[in-house]
Each structure stands twice: as C-alpha cells, then as structure tokens.
Coordinates of all heavy atoms in Angstrom, one line a residue:
M1 N 56.2 97.8 17.4 CA 56.0 96.6 18.3 C 56.4 95.4 17.5 O 55.7 95.0 16.6 CB 54.6 96.6 18.8 CG 54.4 95.4 19.8 SD 55.1 95.7 21.4 CE 54.9 94.1 22.2
G2 N 57.4 94.7 17.9 CA 57.8 93.6 17.2 C 57.2 92.3 17.7 O 56.7 92.3 18.8
K3 N 57.2 91.3 16.9 CA 56.7 90.0 17.3 C 57.9 89.1 17.5 O 58.9 89.2 16.9 CB 55.9 89.4 16.2 CG 54.7 90.2 15.8 CD 54.1 89.6 14.5 CE 53.1 90.5 13.9 NZ 52.8 90.1 12.5
S4 N 57.8 88.3 18.5 CA 58.8 87.3 18.7 C 58.2 85.9 18.9 O 57.1 85.8 19.4 CB 59.7 87.7 19.9 OG 58.9 87.8 21.1
C5 N 58.9 84.9 18.6 CA 58.4 83.6 18.7 C 58.3 83.1 20.1 O 59.3 83.3 20.9 CB 59.2 82.6 17.8 SG 58.6 81.0 17.7
C6 N 57.2 82.4 20.5 CA 57.1 82.0 21.8 C 57.6 80.5 22.0 O 57.5 80.0 23.1 CB 55.6 82.1 22.3 SG 54.5 81.0 21.3
A7 N 58.0 79.9 21.0 CA 58.5 78.5 21.1 C 59.8 78.4 21.9 O 60.6 79.3 21.8 CB 58.7 77.9 19.7
P8 N 59.9 77.4 22.7 CA 61.1 77.2 23.6 C 62.3 77.1 22.7 O 62.3 76.3 21.8 CB 60.8 76.0 24.4 CG 59.8 75.2 23.7 CD 58.9 76.3 22.9
G9 N 63.3 77.9 23.0 CA 64.6 77.8 22.3 C 64.6 78.5 21.0 O 65.7 78.5 20.3
C10 N 63.5 79.1 20.6 CA 63.5 79.7 19.3 C 63.7 81.2 19.5 O 63.1 81.9 20.3 CB 62.1 79.5 18.6 SG 62.1 80.2 16.9
T11 N 64.6 81.8 18.8 CA 65.0 83.2 19.0 C 64.5 84.0 17.8 O 65.0 85.2 17.7 CB 66.5 83.3 19.1 OG1 67.2 82.7 18.0 CG2 67.0 82.6 20.4
Q12 N 63.7 83.5 17.0 CA 63.3 84.3 15.8 C 62.4 85.4 16.2 O 61.5 85.3 17.0 CB 62.5 83.4 14.8 CG 63.4 82.3 14.2 CD 63.1 82.2 12.7 OE1 63.6 82.9 11.9 NE2 62.2 81.3 12.4
R13 N 62.6 86.5 15.6 CA 61.8 87.7 15.8 C 61.4 88.2 14.4 O 62.1 88.0 13.4 CB 62.6 88.8 16.5 CG 62.9 88.5 17.9 CD 63.7 89.5 18.6 NE 63.4 89.6 20.0 CZ 62.4 90.2 20.6 NH1 61.7 91.0 19.8 NH2 62.3 90.2 21.9
Y14 N 60.3 88.9 14.5 CA 59.8 89.5 13.2 C 60.6 90.7 12.9 O 60.7 91.7 13.7 CB 58.3 89.8 13.3 CG 57.9 90.5 12.0 CD1 57.6 89.7 10.9 CD2 57.7 91.9 12.0 CE1 57.1 90.3 9.8 CE2 57.3 92.5 10.8 CZ 57.0 91.7 9.7 OH 56.6 92.3 8.5
T15 N 61.2 90.7 11.8 CA 61.9 92.0 11.3 C 61.5 92.1 9.8 O 61.4 91.1 9.1 CB 63.4 91.9 11.4 OG1 63.9 90.7 10.9 CG2 63.8 92.0 12.9
K16 N 61.4 93.3 9.3 CA 61.0 93.5 7.9 C 62.1 92.9 7.0 O 63.3 93.1 7.2 CB 60.9 95.0 7.7 CG 59.5 95.4 7.5 CD 59.4 96.8 7.1 CE 57.9 97.2 6.9 NZ 57.8 98.6 6.5
G17 N 61.6 92.1 6.1 CA 62.5 91.6 5.1 C 63.3 90.3 5.5 O 64.1 89.8 4.7
S18 N 63.0 89.8 6.7 CA 63.7 88.6 7.2 C 63.2 87.4 6.5 O 63.8 86.3 6.6 CB 63.6 88.5 8.7 OG 62.3 88.3 9.1
G19 N 61.9 87.4 6.0 CA 61.3 86.2 5.5 C 60.7 85.3 6.5 O 60.0 84.4 6.2
V20 N 60.8 85.7 7.8 CA 60.1 84.9 8.9 C 58.7 85.4 8.9 O 58.4 86.5 8.9 CB 60.8 85.2 10.2 CG1 60.1 84.4 11.3 CG2 62.3 84.8 10.1
Q21 N 57.8 84.4 9.0 CA 56.4 84.7 9.1 C 55.9 84.2 10.5 O 56.3 83.2 11.0 CB 55.6 84.0 8.0 CG 56.0 84.5 6.6 CD 55.1 83.8 5.6 OE1 54.0 83.6 5.7 NE2 55.8 83.4 4.5
F22 N 55.0 85.0 11.0 CA 54.4 84.7 12.3 C 52.9 84.4 12.2 O 52.2 85.0 11.4 CB 54.6 85.8 13.3 CG 56.0 85.8 13.8 CD1 57.1 86.3 13.1 CD2 56.3 85.1 15.0 CE1 58.4 86.3 13.6 CE2 57.6 85.1 15.5 CZ 58.6 85.7 14.8
Y23 N 52.5 83.5 13.0 CA 51.1 83.1 12.9 C 50.5 83.0 14.3 O 51.2 82.7 15.3 CB 50.9 81.7 12.3 CG 51.5 81.6 10.9 CD1 52.8 81.1 10.8 CD2 50.8 81.9 9.8 CE1 53.4 81.0 9.5 CE2 51.4 81.8 8.5 CZ 52.7 81.4 8.4 OH 53.2 81.3 7.2
R24 N 49.2 83.3 14.4 CA 48.5 83.1 15.7 C 47.9 81.7 15.7 O 47.6 81.2 14.7 CB 47.4 84.2 15.9 CG 48.0 85.5 16.3 CD 46.8 86.3 16.7 NE 47.2 87.6 17.1 CZ 47.7 87.9 18.3 NH1 47.8 86.9 19.2 NH2 48.1 89.1 18.7
F25 N 47.7 81.2 16.9 CA 47.1 79.9 17.0 C 45.6 80.1 16.7 O 45.0 81.1 17.1 CB 47.1 79.4 18.5 CG 48.4 78.8 18.8 CD1 49.4 79.5 19.5 CD2 48.7 77.5 18.3 CE1 50.6 78.9 19.8 CE2 49.9 76.9 18.6 CZ 50.9 77.6 19.3
P26 N 45.0 79.1 16.0 CA 43.6 79.1 15.8 C 42.9 78.8 17.2 O 43.5 78.2 18.1 CB 43.4 77.9 14.9 CG 44.6 77.1 15.0 CD 45.7 78.0 15.4
A27 N 41.7 79.2 17.3 CA 41.0 79.1 18.6 C 40.7 77.6 18.9 O 40.6 77.3 20.1 CB 39.7 79.9 18.5
E28 N 40.4 76.8 17.9 CA 40.0 75.4 18.2 C 41.2 74.5 18.5 O 42.1 74.5 17.7 CB 39.2 74.9 17.0 CG 38.0 75.7 16.7 CD 38.3 76.9 15.7 OE1 39.5 77.0 15.3 OE2 37.5 77.7 15.4
V29 N 41.0 73.7 19.5 CA 42.2 72.8 19.9 C 42.5 71.9 18.8 O 43.6 71.6 18.5 CB 41.8 72.1 21.2 CG1 42.9 71.0 21.5 CG2 41.7 73.1 22.3
D30 N 41.4 71.4 18.1 CA 41.6 70.4 17.0 C 42.5 71.0 15.9 O 43.4 70.4 15.4 CB 40.3 70.0 16.4 CG 39.6 69.0 17.3 OD1 40.2 68.5 18.3 OD2 38.5 68.6 17.0
R31 N 42.2 72.3 15.7 CA 43.0 72.9 14.6 C 44.4 73.2 15.1 O 45.4 73.2 14.3 CB 42.3 74.2 14.2 CG 41.0 73.9 13.5 CD 40.7 75.0 12.5 NE 41.7 75.1 11.4 CZ 41.9 76.2 10.7 NH1 41.2 77.2 10.8 NH2 42.9 76.2 9.7
Q32 N 44.6 73.5 16.4 CA 45.9 73.7 16.9 C 46.8 72.5 16.7 O 47.9 72.6 16.3 CB 45.8 74.0 18.4 CG 45.2 75.4 18.7 CD 45.0 75.6 20.2 OE1 45.2 74.7 21.0 NE2 44.5 76.8 20.5
N33 N 46.2 71.3 16.9 CA 46.9 70.1 16.7 C 47.4 69.9 15.3 O 48.4 69.3 15.0 CB 46.1 68.9 17.2 CG 45.9 68.9 18.7 OD1 46.7 69.5 19.4 ND2 44.9 68.3 19.2
L34 N 46.5 70.4 14.4 CA 46.9 70.3 13.0 C 48.0 71.3 12.6 O 48.9 71.0 11.8 CB 45.7 70.6 12.1 CG 44.6 69.5 12.1 CD1 43.4 70.0 11.2 CD2 45.2 68.2 11.5
W35 N 48.0 72.4 13.3 CA 49.0 73.4 12.9 C 50.4 73.1 13.5 O 51.4 73.4 12.9 CB 48.5 74.8 13.5 CG 47.5 75.5 12.7 CD1 46.4 74.9 12.1 CD2 47.5 76.8 12.3 NE1 45.7 75.9 11.4 CE2 46.4 77.1 11.5 CE3 48.4 77.9 12.5 CZ2 46.1 78.3 11.0 CZ3 48.1 79.1 12.0 CH2 47.0 79.3 11.2
I36 N 50.4 72.6 14.7 CA 51.6 72.5 15.4 C 52.4 71.3 15.0 O 51.8 70.2 15.0 CB 51.4 72.5 16.9 CG1 50.6 73.8 17.3 CG2 52.7 72.5 17.7 CD1 50.0 73.7 18.7
S37 N 53.6 71.4 14.7 CA 54.4 70.3 14.4 C 54.7 69.4 15.6 O 54.6 69.9 16.7 CB 55.7 70.7 13.8 OG 56.6 71.2 14.8
P38 N 55.0 68.1 15.4 CA 55.2 67.2 16.5 C 56.4 67.7 17.4 O 56.4 67.3 18.6 CB 55.6 65.9 15.8 CG 55.0 66.0 14.5 CD 55.0 67.4 14.1
S39 N 57.3 68.5 16.9 CA 58.4 68.9 17.7 C 58.0 69.9 18.8 O 58.8 70.3 19.7 CB 59.5 69.4 16.9 OG 59.1 70.6 16.2
F40 N 56.8 70.5 18.6 CA 56.4 71.5 19.5 C 55.5 70.9 20.6 O 54.4 70.5 20.3 CB 55.6 72.6 18.8 CG 55.3 73.8 19.6 CD1 56.3 74.8 19.7 CD2 54.2 73.9 20.3 CE1 56.1 75.9 20.4 CE2 53.9 75.1 21.1 CZ 54.9 76.1 21.1
C41 N 56.0 70.7 21.8 CA 55.4 69.8 22.8 C 54.9 70.6 24.0 O 54.4 70.0 24.9 CB 56.4 68.8 23.2 SG 57.9 69.4 23.9
L42 N 54.8 71.9 23.9 CA 54.2 72.6 25.1 C 52.7 72.8 24.8 O 52.3 72.7 23.7 CB 54.9 74.0 25.2 CG 56.2 74.1 25.8 CD1 56.6 75.5 25.9 CD2 56.3 73.4 27.1
P43 N 52.0 73.0 25.9 CA 50.6 73.4 25.7 C 50.5 74.6 24.9 O 51.4 75.5 24.9 CB 50.1 73.7 27.1 CG 51.1 73.0 28.0 CD 52.4 73.0 27.3
P44 N 49.5 74.7 24.1 CA 49.4 75.9 23.1 C 49.4 77.2 23.9 O 48.5 77.4 24.7 CB 48.1 75.6 22.4 CG 47.8 74.2 22.6 CD 48.4 73.8 23.9
P45 N 50.3 78.1 23.7 CA 50.3 79.4 24.3 C 49.4 80.3 23.5 O 49.8 81.0 22.6 CB 51.7 79.8 24.2 CG 52.2 79.1 23.0 CD 51.4 77.9 22.8
R46 N 48.1 80.4 23.9 CA 47.2 81.2 23.2 C 47.6 82.6 23.2 O 48.1 83.1 24.1 CB 45.8 81.0 23.8 CG 45.2 79.7 23.5 CD 43.7 79.7 23.9 NE 43.1 78.4 23.6 CZ 41.9 78.1 23.8 NH1 41.0 79.0 24.2 NH2 41.4 76.9 23.5
H47 N 47.2 83.3 22.1 CA 47.4 84.7 22.0 C 48.9 85.0 21.8 O 49.3 86.1 22.0 CB 46.8 85.5 23.1 CG 45.4 85.2 23.4 ND1 44.4 85.3 22.4 CD2 44.7 84.7 24.4 CE1 43.3 84.9 22.9 NE2 43.4 84.5 24.1
D48 N 49.7 84.0 21.6 CA 51.1 84.2 21.3 C 51.3 83.9 19.8 O 50.5 83.4 19.1 CB 51.9 83.3 22.2 CG 52.3 84.0 23.5 OD1 52.5 85.3 23.4 OD2 52.4 83.4 24.5
W49 N 52.5 84.3 19.5 CA 52.9 84.1 18.1 C 53.9 82.9 17.9 O 54.7 82.7 18.8 CB 53.6 85.3 17.5 CG 52.7 86.5 17.5 CD1 52.6 87.4 18.5 CD2 51.8 86.9 16.4 NE1 51.6 88.4 18.1 CE2 51.2 88.1 16.8 CE3 51.6 86.4 15.2 CZ2 50.3 88.7 16.0 CZ3 50.7 87.0 14.4 CH2 50.0 88.2 14.8
L50 N 53.7 82.2 16.8 CA 54.7 81.2 16.5 C 55.3 81.5 15.1 O 54.5 82.0 14.2 CB 54.1 79.8 16.4 CG 54.0 79.1 17.7 CD1 53.3 77.7 17.5 CD2 55.3 78.9 18.4
C51 N 56.5 81.3 14.9 CA 57.1 81.6 13.6 C 56.9 80.3 12.7 O 56.4 79.3 13.2 CB 58.6 81.9 13.7 SG 59.6 80.5 14.1
N52 N 57.2 80.5 11.5 CA 56.9 79.5 10.5 C 57.7 78.2 10.7 O 57.4 77.2 10.0 CB 57.0 80.0 9.1 CG 58.4 80.6 8.9 OD1 59.2 80.8 9.8 ND2 58.8 80.9 7.6
L53 N 58.7 78.2 11.5 CA 59.5 77.0 11.7 C 58.7 75.9 12.4 O 59.1 74.7 12.3 CB 60.7 77.3 12.6 CG 61.7 78.2 11.9 CD1 62.9 78.4 12.9 CD2 62.2 77.6 10.6
H54 N 57.6 76.2 13.1 CA 56.9 75.3 13.9 C 55.7 74.7 13.3 O 54.9 74.0 14.0 CB 56.6 75.9 15.3 CG 57.8 76.6 15.9 ND1 58.9 75.9 16.3 CD2 58.1 77.9 15.9 CE1 59.8 76.8 16.7 NE2 59.3 78.0 16.5
F55 N 55.4 75.0 12.1 CA 54.2 74.6 11.5 C 54.5 73.5 10.4 O 55.6 73.5 9.8 CB 53.5 75.7 10.8 CG 52.9 76.7 11.9 CD1 53.6 77.8 12.3 CD2 51.7 76.4 12.5 CE1 53.1 78.6 13.3 CE2 51.1 77.2 13.4 CZ 51.9 78.3 13.9
L56 N 53.6 72.7 10.2 CA 53.7 71.7 9.2 C 53.9 72.3 7.8 O 53.3 73.3 7.5 CB 52.5 70.7 9.2 CG 52.3 70.0 10.5 CD1 51.0 69.2 10.5 CD2 53.5 69.1 10.9
S57 N 54.6 71.7 7.0 CA 54.9 72.3 5.7 C 53.7 72.4 4.8 O 53.6 73.2 3.9 CB 56.0 71.4 4.9 OG 55.5 70.1 4.8
S58 N 52.7 71.6 5.1 CA 51.4 71.6 4.3 C 50.7 72.9 4.6 O 49.8 73.2 3.8 CB 50.5 70.4 4.7 OG 50.2 70.4 6.0
M59 N 51.0 73.6 5.6 CA 50.3 74.9 5.9 C 51.0 75.9 5.0 O 50.6 77.1 5.1 CB 50.4 75.2 7.3 CG 49.7 74.3 8.2 SD 47.9 74.2 7.8 CE 47.4 75.9 8.3
Ligands
ZN101 ZN1 59.9 80.0 16.3

C-alpha cells in the first residue's frame, strides 16, 4: 500500500529510496498551523499524508 501526497498539485508518492518523507497531521489544530507551510491553503485533510515539501524547514 503506497502513500501519496494529498496536497493539491503535488504528485509525490512514497517509493522506497526516493527520499520523499510522508507525515501525518497532528491532531491539534494549533500544531497543524505550525506544521503546514503558508503555501498550503486548504483545510487540513485529517488522516491524510503530506510529503515533506509542505512542511516548514524547521521541522
Ligand atoms: Zn506533497
């Protein structure tokens, strides 16, 4: 079962050795805001995966 990124326009999928990392959203909205970069403007799709492109570099 592969993971794929739920961000609009993003076609990244998890494949072994690709270097792409996937993360789940934290449950708390406050933390979601910390995690999500400003370019990601949809409501948080809970229980979905986001690839590392959409997170702040500090994470
Ligand atoms: Zn993505």
Side-chain angles (χ1 to χ4, degrees):
M1 183 74 190
K3 301 168 193 166
S4 59
C5 184
C6 64
C10 184
T11 57
Q12 292 223 86
R13 289 178 153 273
Y14 177 80
T15 52
K16 252 186 178 178
S18 68
V20 179
Q21 295 182 41
F22 281 84
Y23 304 95
R24 281 192 180 280
F25 280 103
E28 303 85 5
V29 172
D30 284 352
R31 293 209 63 201
Q32 290 173 356
N33 291 335
L34 287 176
W35 278 48
I36 303 167
S37 73
S39 62
F40 191 85
C41 55
L42 283 185
R46 285 191 182 184
H47 309 302
D48 268 323
W49 295 93
L50 275 181
C51 72
N52 56 345
L53 292 181
H54 312 288
F55 291 93
L56 302 174
S57 57
S58 61
M59 294 301 293

